[in-house]
Amino acid sequence: MVDDDSPPPSSGLDLSSTKDNEDDPFVWAPLYVAQAVAVFCLAGVAEILGGWMVWVAVRGQPKRPWWYALIGSIILVLYGFIPCLQPTDSFGRIYAVYGGFFIVLSLLFGWALDGDRPDLGDTIGCIISLIGVLLIMFWPR
């Protein structure tokens, strides 16, 4: 007789080994730091470039063709998967820290794409935000 309440047979994939736990805490090795920074930058480029392409198709002066919005939208969908490449599983911290990178990259892209040069307040704000998010990310736990 088969017990209908029994769990399905194992697929052989053990996802528990990917979780941070107290027995095996995550350690920020130099390669993980480089990976995290690269993924934050890649996510920022995708989000900002995709958003900018939609923006200039809808509100730009002059407006860009409709396909800018389509390509921008596809880039934004792809952006949604990029944070999954982070080396740690802390969703809240990943997105909080990404916010600091987003601030800096947004101002740099605004300067590069629209000629809107950051001023002293922008620069100081970027420095403060990066210090804050790096504390969040790399504080020993």
Side-chain angles (χ1 to χ4, degrees):
M1 177 173 220
V2 176
D3 182 10
D4 291 331
D5 293 332
S6 63
S10 173
S11 65
L13 180 62
D14 180 14
L15 297 178
S16 65
S17 63
T18 63
K19 299 290 180 198
D20 293 341
N21 62 45
E22 292 181 22
D23 297 334
D24 189 21
F26 182 81
V27 177
W28 282 105
L31 184 60
Y32 288 145
V33 173
Q35 178 184 351
V37 171
V39 170
F40 286 134
C41 290
L42 179 62
V45 168
E47 183 179 11
I48 295 163
L49 184 59
W52 179 81
M53 291 183 78
V54 171
W55 177 272
V56 296
V58 174
R59 295 190 54 173
Q61 296 298 325
K63 283 189 179 182
R64 300 304 201 297
W66 64 268
W67 51 267
Y68 265 58
L70 178 63
I71 292 172
S73 297
I74 292 168
I75 292 170
L76 288 168
V77 168
L78 294 174
Y79 148 75
F81 291 91
I82 294 171
C84 297
L85 301 173
Q86 285 292 349
T88 182
D89 293 330
S90 181
F91 175 83
R93 283 194 189 101
I94 293 296
Y95 274 82
V97 174
Y98 170 64
F101 280 81
F102 182 81
I103 291 168
V104 174
L105 291 169
S106 295
L107 290 169
L108 292 176
F109 267 77
W111 187 9
L113 297 174
D114 293 330
D116 189 14
R117 185 180 177 151
D119 61 20
L120 181 61
D122 296 328
T123 303
I124 293 170
C126 285
I127 291 168
I128 292 170
S129 71
L130 284 178
I131 290 170
V133 298
L134 292 174
L135 280 171
I136 292 169
M137 192 73 170
F138 299 120
W139 190 263
R141 292 182 169 78

mmCIF file of all heavy atoms in Angstrom, residues 50-91:
data_model
loop_
_atom_site.group_PDB
_atom_site.id
_atom_site.type_symbol
_atom_site.label_atom_id
_atom_site.label_comp_id
_atom_site.label_asym_id
_atom_site.label_seq_id
_atom_site.Cartn_x
_atom_site.Cartn_y
_atom_site.Cartn_z
ATOM 1 N N GLY A 50 18.669 49.775 -19.357
ATOM 2 C CA GLY A 50 17.307 49.393 -19.741
ATOM 3 C C GLY A 50 16.299 50.478 -19.407
ATOM 4 O O GLY A 50 15.444 50.828 -20.226
ATOM 5 N N GLY A 51 16.401 51.032 -18.217
ATOM 6 C CA GLY A 51 15.499 52.117 -17.823
ATOM 7 C C GLY A 51 15.673 53.356 -18.674
ATOM 8 O O GLY A 51 14.694 54.012 -19.060
ATOM 9 N N TRP A 52 16.923 53.683 -19.019
ATOM 10 C CA TRP A 52 17.192 54.853 -19.849
ATOM 11 C C TRP A 52 16.590 54.666 -21.242
ATOM 12 O O TRP A 52 16.012 55.597 -21.803
ATOM 13 C CB TRP A 52 18.698 55.097 -19.949
ATOM 14 C CG TRP A 52 19.053 56.273 -20.809
ATOM 15 C CD1 TRP A 52 19.040 57.587 -20.440
ATOM 16 C CD2 TRP A 52 19.468 56.246 -22.182
ATOM 17 N NE1 TRP A 52 19.423 58.381 -21.502
ATOM 18 C CE2 TRP A 52 19.702 57.573 -22.584
ATOM 19 C CE3 TRP A 52 19.674 55.216 -23.098
ATOM 20 C CZ2 TRP A 52 20.118 57.900 -23.865
ATOM 21 C CZ3 TRP A 52 20.100 55.544 -24.378
ATOM 22 C CH2 TRP A 52 20.314 56.873 -24.748
ATOM 23 N N MET A 53 16.707 53.445 -21.791
ATOM 24 C CA MET A 53 16.155 53.198 -23.126
ATOM 25 C C MET A 53 14.638 53.353 -23.144
ATOM 26 O O MET A 53 14.080 53.912 -24.090
ATOM 27 C CB MET A 53 16.579 51.818 -23.631
ATOM 28 C CG MET A 53 18.068 51.746 -23.939
ATOM 29 S SD MET A 53 18.580 50.162 -24.622
ATOM 30 C CE MET A 53 18.007 50.367 -26.311
ATOM 31 N N VAL A 54 13.969 52.895 -22.091
ATOM 32 C CA VAL A 54 12.520 53.099 -22.002
ATOM 33 C C VAL A 54 12.223 54.595 -21.840
ATOM 34 O O VAL A 54 11.343 55.148 -22.512
ATOM 35 C CB VAL A 54 11.919 52.281 -20.830
ATOM 36 C CG1 VAL A 54 10.472 52.657 -20.586
ATOM 37 C CG2 VAL A 54 12.067 50.784 -21.090
ATOM 38 N N TRP A 55 12.983 55.255 -20.976
ATOM 39 C CA TRP A 55 12.785 56.687 -20.700
ATOM 40 C C TRP A 55 12.871 57.523 -21.979
ATOM 41 O O TRP A 55 11.995 58.336 -22.249
ATOM 42 C CB TRP A 55 13.829 57.147 -19.684
ATOM 43 C CG TRP A 55 13.779 58.609 -19.357
ATOM 44 C CD1 TRP A 55 14.421 59.630 -20.018
ATOM 45 C CD2 TRP A 55 13.062 59.231 -18.304
ATOM 46 N NE1 TRP A 55 14.142 60.831 -19.442
ATOM 47 C CE2 TRP A 55 13.309 60.617 -18.377
ATOM 48 C CE3 TRP A 55 12.241 58.748 -17.299
ATOM 49 C CZ2 TRP A 55 12.762 61.522 -17.481
ATOM 50 C CZ3 TRP A 55 11.711 59.657 -16.406
ATOM 51 C CH2 TRP A 55 11.964 61.025 -16.506
ATOM 52 N N VAL A 56 13.931 57.321 -22.770
ATOM 53 C CA VAL A 56 14.108 58.165 -23.963
ATOM 54 C C VAL A 56 13.097 57.835 -25.049
ATOM 55 O O VAL A 56 12.790 58.687 -25.885
ATOM 56 C CB VAL A 56 15.552 58.129 -24.519
ATOM 57 C CG1 VAL A 56 16.522 58.707 -23.495
ATOM 58 C CG2 VAL A 56 15.960 56.743 -24.976
ATOM 59 N N ALA A 57 12.549 56.618 -25.047
ATOM 60 C CA ALA A 57 11.505 56.285 -26.015
ATOM 61 C C ALA A 57 10.178 56.916 -25.634
ATOM 62 O O ALA A 57 9.379 57.286 -26.495
ATOM 63 C CB ALA A 57 11.343 54.772 -26.129
ATOM 64 N N VAL A 58 9.947 57.095 -24.326
ATOM 65 C CA VAL A 58 8.671 57.627 -23.854
ATOM 66 C C VAL A 58 8.742 59.136 -23.625
ATOM 67 O O VAL A 58 7.849 59.880 -24.014
ATOM 68 C CB VAL A 58 8.228 56.901 -22.558
ATOM 69 C CG1 VAL A 58 6.986 57.537 -21.959
ATOM 70 C CG2 VAL A 58 8.007 55.425 -22.832
ATOM 71 N N ARG A 59 9.835 59.620 -23.005
ATOM 72 C CA ARG A 59 9.910 61.025 -22.599
ATOM 73 C C ARG A 59 11.071 61.802 -23.186
ATOM 74 O O ARG A 59 11.224 62.983 -22.899
ATOM 75 C CB ARG A 59 10.014 61.104 -21.072
ATOM 76 C CG ARG A 59 8.772 60.592 -20.374
ATOM 77 C CD ARG A 59 8.801 60.900 -18.937
ATOM 78 N NE ARG A 59 9.004 62.317 -18.672
ATOM 79 C CZ ARG A 59 8.941 62.870 -17.488
ATOM 80 N NH1 ARG A 59 8.687 62.126 -16.437
ATOM 81 N NH2 ARG A 59 9.137 64.151 -17.306
ATOM 82 N N GLY A 60 11.921 61.140 -23.931
ATOM 83 C CA GLY A 60 13.124 61.790 -24.426
ATOM 84 C C GLY A 60 12.853 62.978 -25.326
ATOM 85 O O GLY A 60 11.815 63.070 -25.974
ATOM 86 N N GLN A 61 13.782 63.894 -25.341
ATOM 87 C CA GLN A 61 13.719 65.067 -26.232
ATOM 88 C C GLN A 61 15.000 65.112 -27.046
ATOM 89 O O GLN A 61 16.019 65.530 -26.530
ATOM 90 C CB GLN A 61 13.543 66.350 -25.424
ATOM 91 C CG GLN A 61 12.261 66.449 -24.660
ATOM 92 C CD GLN A 61 11.025 66.429 -25.543
ATOM 93 O OE1 GLN A 61 11.026 66.955 -26.652
ATOM 94 N NE2 GLN A 61 9.977 65.794 -25.066
ATOM 95 N N PRO A 62 15.020 64.650 -28.258
ATOM 96 C CA PRO A 62 13.902 64.074 -29.021
ATOM 97 C C PRO A 62 13.639 62.628 -28.598
ATOM 98 O O PRO A 62 14.521 61.951 -28.110
ATOM 99 C CB PRO A 62 14.394 64.114 -30.460
ATOM 100 C CG PRO A 62 15.879 63.968 -30.356
ATOM 101 C CD PRO A 62 16.262 64.664 -29.068
ATOM 102 N N LYS A 63 12.398 62.200 -28.852
ATOM 103 C CA LYS A 63 12.041 60.823 -28.516
ATOM 104 C C LYS A 63 12.786 59.865 -29.432
ATOM 105 O O LYS A 63 13.013 60.137 -30.597
ATOM 106 C CB LYS A 63 10.535 60.607 -28.679
ATOM 107 C CG LYS A 63 9.730 61.176 -27.562
ATOM 108 C CD LYS A 63 8.285 60.742 -27.681
ATOM 109 C CE LYS A 63 7.490 61.305 -26.524
ATOM 110 N NZ LYS A 63 6.114 60.884 -26.567
ATOM 111 N N ARG A 64 13.155 58.724 -28.870
ATOM 112 C CA ARG A 64 13.786 57.661 -29.646
ATOM 113 C C ARG A 64 12.696 56.746 -30.187
ATOM 114 O O ARG A 64 11.549 56.778 -29.734
ATOM 115 C CB ARG A 64 14.766 56.861 -28.786
ATOM 116 C CG ARG A 64 15.911 57.643 -28.173
ATOM 117 C CD ARG A 64 16.715 58.379 -29.213
ATOM 118 N NE ARG A 64 18.058 58.767 -28.882
ATOM 119 C CZ ARG A 64 18.471 59.593 -27.949
ATOM 120 N NH1 ARG A 64 17.610 60.125 -27.137
ATOM 121 N NH2 ARG A 64 19.729 59.890 -27.801
ATOM 122 N N PRO A 65 13.029 55.875 -31.133
ATOM 123 C CA PRO A 65 12.018 54.969 -31.705
ATOM 124 C C PRO A 65 11.442 54.001 -30.668
ATOM 125 O O PRO A 65 12.059 53.715 -29.645
ATOM 126 C CB PRO A 65 12.788 54.186 -32.778
ATOM 127 C CG PRO A 65 14.127 54.806 -32.898
ATOM 128 C CD PRO A 65 14.336 55.735 -31.753
ATOM 129 N N TRP A 66 10.274 53.450 -30.961
ATOM 130 C CA TRP A 66 9.557 52.548 -30.062
ATOM 131 C C TRP A 66 10.390 51.341 -29.664
ATOM 132 O O TRP A 66 10.273 50.826 -28.564
ATOM 133 C CB TRP A 66 8.233 52.092 -30.689
ATOM 134 C CG TRP A 66 8.434 51.273 -31.947
ATOM 135 C CD1 TRP A 66 8.479 51.761 -33.224
ATOM 136 C CD2 TRP A 66 8.640 49.878 -32.038
ATOM 137 N NE1 TRP A 66 8.700 50.746 -34.112
ATOM 138 C CE2 TRP A 66 8.801 49.555 -33.411
ATOM 139 C CE3 TRP A 66 8.717 48.833 -31.124
ATOM 140 C CZ2 TRP A 66 9.034 48.274 -33.876
ATOM 141 C CZ3 TRP A 66 8.945 47.551 -31.583
ATOM 142 C CH2 TRP A 66 9.092 47.269 -32.943
ATOM 143 N N TRP A 67 11.248 50.894 -30.578
ATOM 144 C CA TRP A 67 12.023 49.685 -30.286
ATOM 145 C C TRP A 67 13.065 49.920 -29.197
ATOM 146 O O TRP A 67 13.565 48.963 -28.617
ATOM 147 C CB TRP A 67 12.626 49.071 -31.553
ATOM 148 C CG TRP A 67 13.394 49.998 -32.434
ATOM 149 C CD1 TRP A 67 12.920 50.701 -33.500
ATOM 150 C CD2 TRP A 67 14.778 50.318 -32.312
ATOM 151 N NE1 TRP A 67 13.928 51.449 -34.063
ATOM 152 C CE2 TRP A 67 15.088 51.231 -33.349
ATOM 153 C CE3 TRP A 67 15.792 49.927 -31.448
ATOM 154 C CZ2 TRP A 67 16.350 51.744 -33.528
ATOM 155 C CZ3 TRP A 67 17.056 50.446 -31.627
ATOM 156 C CH2 TRP A 67 17.320 51.343 -32.660
ATOM 157 N N TYR A 68 13.400 51.177 -28.904
ATOM 158 C CA TYR A 68 14.250 51.456 -27.736
ATOM 159 C C TYR A 68 13.553 50.955 -26.467
ATOM 160 O O TYR A 68 14.166 50.345 -25.603
ATOM 161 C CB TYR A 68 14.505 52.959 -27.588
ATOM 162 C CG TYR A 68 15.776 53.465 -28.213
ATOM 163 C CD1 TYR A 68 16.031 53.294 -29.565
ATOM 164 C CD2 TYR A 68 16.713 54.134 -27.446
ATOM 165 C CE1 TYR A 68 17.200 53.783 -30.132
ATOM 166 C CE2 TYR A 68 17.880 54.629 -28.004
ATOM 167 C CZ TYR A 68 18.120 54.448 -29.349
ATOM 168 O OH TYR A 68 19.270 54.922 -29.899
ATOM 169 N N ALA A 69 12.257 51.240 -26.359
ATOM 170 C CA ALA A 69 11.499 50.806 -25.183
ATOM 171 C C ALA A 69 11.416 49.285 -25.122
ATOM 172 O O ALA A 69 11.520 48.694 -24.040
ATOM 173 C CB ALA A 69 10.095 51.410 -25.203
ATOM 174 N N LEU A 70 11.274 48.652 -26.275
ATOM 175 C CA LEU A 70 11.209 47.191 -26.309
ATOM 176 C C LEU A 70 12.542 46.581 -25.859
ATOM 177 O O LEU A 70 12.568 45.698 -24.986
ATOM 178 C CB LEU A 70 10.856 46.714 -27.721
ATOM 179 C CG LEU A 70 10.803 45.201 -27.908
ATOM 180 C CD1 LEU A 70 9.701 44.594 -27.052
ATOM 181 C CD2 LEU A 70 10.608 44.862 -29.370
ATOM 182 N N ILE A 71 13.647 47.050 -26.416
ATOM 183 C CA ILE A 71 14.963 46.528 -26.030
ATOM 184 C C ILE A 71 15.243 46.849 -24.560
ATOM 185 O O ILE A 71 15.736 46.008 -23.810
ATOM 186 C CB ILE A 71 16.067 47.091 -26.947
ATOM 187 C CG1 ILE A 71 15.899 46.531 -28.360
ATOM 188 C CG2 ILE A 71 17.451 46.756 -26.400
ATOM 189 C CD1 ILE A 71 16.801 47.165 -29.393
ATOM 190 N N GLY A 72 14.908 48.068 -24.135
ATOM 191 C CA GLY A 72 15.088 48.441 -22.731
ATOM 192 C C GLY A 72 14.304 47.532 -21.803
ATOM 193 O O GLY A 72 14.795 47.126 -20.745
ATOM 194 N N SER A 73 13.089 47.182 -22.194
ATOM 195 C CA SER A 73 12.255 46.290 -21.376
ATOM 196 C C SER A 73 12.869 44.897 -21.280
ATOM 197 O O SER A 73 12.857 44.275 -20.215
ATOM 198 C CB SER A 73 10.851 46.200 -21.958
ATOM 199 O OG SER A 73 10.231 47.463 -21.927
ATOM 200 N N ILE A 74 13.410 44.399 -22.364
ATOM 201 C CA ILE A 74 14.064 43.081 -22.350
ATOM 202 C C ILE A 74 15.279 43.115 -21.430
ATOM 203 O O ILE A 74 15.500 42.196 -20.635
ATOM 204 C CB ILE A 74 14.447 42.649 -23.780
ATOM 205 C CG1 ILE A 74 13.177 42.382 -24.600
ATOM 206 C CG2 ILE A 74 15.366 41.431 -23.759
ATOM 207 C CD1 ILE A 74 13.413 42.238 -26.090
ATOM 208 N N ILE A 75 16.055 44.194 -21.511
ATOM 209 C CA ILE A 75 17.222 44.338 -20.629
ATOM 210 C C ILE A 75 16.778 44.367 -19.167
ATOM 211 O O ILE A 75 17.412 43.759 -18.301
ATOM 212 C CB ILE A 75 18.038 45.598 -20.990
ATOM 213 C CG1 ILE A 75 18.687 45.426 -22.358
ATOM 214 C CG2 ILE A 75 19.091 45.903 -19.932
ATOM 215 C CD1 ILE A 75 19.311 46.700 -22.919
ATOM 216 N N LEU A 76 15.673 45.051 -18.884
ATOM 217 C CA LEU A 76 15.175 45.112 -17.507
ATOM 218 C C LEU A 76 14.717 43.741 -16.995
ATOM 219 O O LEU A 76 14.917 43.427 -15.819
ATOM 220 C CB LEU A 76 14.053 46.140 -17.392
ATOM 221 C CG LEU A 76 14.512 47.594 -17.472
ATOM 222 C CD1 LEU A 76 13.317 48.532 -17.645
ATOM 223 C CD2 LEU A 76 15.311 47.968 -16.239
ATOM 224 N N VAL A 77 14.143 42.938 -17.867
ATOM 225 C CA VAL A 77 13.771 41.574 -17.455
ATOM 226 C C VAL A 77 15.031 40.776 -17.137
ATOM 227 O O VAL A 77 15.102 40.088 -16.116
ATOM 228 C CB VAL A 77 12.926 40.878 -18.547
ATOM 229 C CG1 VAL A 77 12.787 39.392 -18.259
ATOM 230 C CG2 VAL A 77 11.558 41.533 -18.657
ATOM 231 N N LEU A 78 16.035 40.879 -17.984
ATOM 232 C CA LEU A 78 17.302 40.180 -17.726
ATOM 233 C C LEU A 78 17.945 40.668 -16.430
ATOM 234 O O LEU A 78 18.514 39.877 -15.669
ATOM 235 C CB LEU A 78 18.262 40.355 -18.896
ATOM 236 C CG LEU A 78 17.824 39.698 -20.206
ATOM 237 C CD1 LEU A 78 18.781 40.071 -21.331
ATOM 238 C CD2 LEU A 78 17.711 38.193 -20.056
ATOM 239 N N TYR A 79 17.850 41.965 -16.172
ATOM 240 C CA TYR A 79 18.393 42.540 -14.937
ATOM 241 C C TYR A 79 17.845 41.824 -13.705
ATOM 242 O O TYR A 79 18.550 41.621 -12.724
ATOM 243 C CB TYR A 79 18.090 44.047 -14.857
ATOM 244 C CG TYR A 79 17.906 44.535 -13.452
ATOM 245 C CD1 TYR A 79 19.006 44.710 -12.617
ATOM 246 C CD2 TYR A 79 16.641 44.785 -12.928
ATOM 247 C CE1 TYR A 79 18.837 45.130 -11.300
ATOM 248 C CE2 TYR A 79 16.475 45.197 -11.635
ATOM 249 C CZ TYR A 79 17.571 45.370 -10.823
ATOM 250 O OH TYR A 79 17.411 45.767 -9.531
ATOM 251 N N GLY A 80 16.587 41.432 -13.747
ATOM 252 C CA GLY A 80 15.962 40.780 -12.602
ATOM 253 C C GLY A 80 16.651 39.494 -12.176
ATOM 254 O O GLY A 80 16.549 39.083 -11.021
ATOM 255 N N PHE A 81 17.375 38.855 -13.082
ATOM 256 C CA PHE A 81 18.058 37.601 -12.771
ATOM 257 C C PHE A 81 19.500 37.807 -12.315
ATOM 258 O O PHE A 81 20.083 36.919 -11.704
ATOM 259 C CB PHE A 81 18.034 36.680 -13.994
ATOM 260 C CG PHE A 81 16.662 36.166 -14.305
ATOM 261 C CD1 PHE A 81 15.837 36.856 -15.179
ATOM 262 C CD2 PHE A 81 16.187 35.012 -13.710
ATOM 263 C CE1 PHE A 81 14.564 36.392 -15.469
ATOM 264 C CE2 PHE A 81 14.913 34.546 -13.986
ATOM 265 C CZ PHE A 81 14.101 35.236 -14.868
ATOM 266 N N ILE A 82 20.084 38.945 -12.608
ATOM 267 C CA ILE A 82 21.505 39.168 -12.322
ATOM 268 C C ILE A 82 21.841 39.060 -10.835
ATOM 269 O O ILE A 82 22.848 38.430 -10.487
ATOM 270 C CB ILE A 82 21.973 40.510 -12.935
ATOM 271 C CG1 ILE A 82 21.907 40.416 -14.464
ATOM 272 C CG2 ILE A 82 23.375 40.872 -12.468
ATOM 273 C CD1 ILE A 82 22.141 41.727 -15.187
ATOM 274 N N PRO A 83 21.050 39.615 -9.914
ATOM 275 C CA PRO A 83 21.409 39.480 -8.495
ATOM 276 C C PRO A 83 21.508 38.028 -8.012
ATOM 277 O O PRO A 83 22.173 37.750 -7.012
ATOM 278 C CB PRO A 83 20.297 40.229 -7.758
ATOM 279 C CG PRO A 83 19.821 41.237 -8.760
ATOM 280 C CD PRO A 83 19.911 40.526 -10.087
ATOM 281 N N CYS A 84 20.877 37.104 -8.718
ATOM 282 C CA CYS A 84 20.976 35.689 -8.338
ATOM 283 C C CYS A 84 22.396 35.154 -8.497
ATOM 284 O O CYS A 84 22.706 34.066 -8.005
ATOM 285 C CB CYS A 84 20.012 34.855 -9.175
ATOM 286 S SG CYS A 84 18.284 35.288 -8.910
ATOM 287 N N LEU A 85 23.262 35.887 -9.160
ATOM 288 C CA LEU A 85 24.656 35.478 -9.339
ATOM 289 C C LEU A 85 25.536 35.860 -8.159
ATOM 290 O O LEU A 85 26.726 35.554 -8.149
ATOM 291 C CB LEU A 85 25.226 36.116 -10.623
ATOM 292 C CG LEU A 85 24.489 35.776 -11.913
ATOM 293 C CD1 LEU A 85 25.049 36.600 -13.072
ATOM 294 C CD2 LEU A 85 24.568 34.288 -12.209
ATOM 295 N N GLN A 86 24.959 36.521 -7.163
ATOM 296 C CA GLN A 86 25.741 36.918 -5.986
ATOM 297 C C GLN A 86 26.208 35.689 -5.215
ATOM 298 O O GLN A 86 25.511 34.677 -5.186
ATOM 299 C CB GLN A 86 24.920 37.830 -5.065
ATOM 300 C CG GLN A 86 24.769 39.231 -5.561
ATOM 301 C CD GLN A 86 26.070 40.013 -5.544
ATOM 302 O OE1 GLN A 86 27.074 39.608 -4.994
ATOM 303 N NE2 GLN A 86 26.041 41.163 -6.179
ATOM 304 N N PRO A 87 27.388 35.769 -4.575
ATOM 305 C CA PRO A 87 27.930 34.604 -3.882
ATOM 306 C C PRO A 87 27.296 34.303 -2.524
ATOM 307 O O PRO A 87 27.576 33.263 -1.944
ATOM 308 C CB PRO A 87 29.412 34.961 -3.707
ATOM 309 C CG PRO A 87 29.447 36.445 -3.676
ATOM 310 C CD PRO A 87 28.334 36.891 -4.603
ATOM 311 N N THR A 88 26.461 35.168 -2.015
ATOM 312 C CA THR A 88 25.824 34.936 -0.722
ATOM 313 C C THR A 88 24.312 34.909 -0.886
ATOM 314 O O THR A 88 23.782 35.432 -1.869
ATOM 315 C CB THR A 88 26.243 36.008 0.311
ATOM 316 O OG1 THR A 88 25.642 35.715 1.565
ATOM 317 C CG2 THR A 88 25.852 37.395 -0.120
ATOM 318 N N ASP A 89 23.623 34.305 0.061
ATOM 319 C CA ASP A 89 22.181 34.113 -0.037
ATOM 320 C C ASP A 89 21.352 35.166 0.686
ATOM 321 O O ASP A 89 20.152 35.009 0.815
ATOM 322 C CB ASP A 89 21.808 32.737 0.540
ATOM 323 C CG ASP A 89 22.335 31.604 -0.304
ATOM 324 O OD1 ASP A 89 22.466 31.766 -1.524
ATOM 325 O OD2 ASP A 89 22.628 30.542 0.270
ATOM 326 N N SER A 90 21.951 36.216 1.184
ATOM 327 C CA SER A 90 21.236 37.202 1.973
ATOM 328 C C SER A 90 20.512 38.207 1.064
ATOM 329 O O SER A 90 21.052 39.257 0.717
ATOM 330 C CB SER A 90 22.206 37.937 2.905
ATOM 331 O OG SER A 90 21.505 38.869 3.684
ATOM 332 N N PHE A 91 19.275 37.868 0.691
ATOM 333 C CA PHE A 91 18.503 38.693 -0.249
ATOM 334 C C PHE A 91 18.422 40.153 0.185
ATOM 335 O O PHE A 91 18.697 41.055 -0.605
ATOM 336 C CB PHE A 91 17.090 38.114 -0.406
ATOM 337 C CG PHE A 91 16.196 38.960 -1.255
ATOM 338 C CD1 PHE A 91 16.236 38.858 -2.632
ATOM 339 C CD2 PHE A 91 15.317 39.863 -0.680
ATOM 340 C CE1 PHE A 91 15.420 39.653 -3.426
ATOM 341 C CE2 PHE A 91 14.493 40.659 -1.459
ATOM 342 C CZ PHE A 91 14.548 40.542 -2.843
#
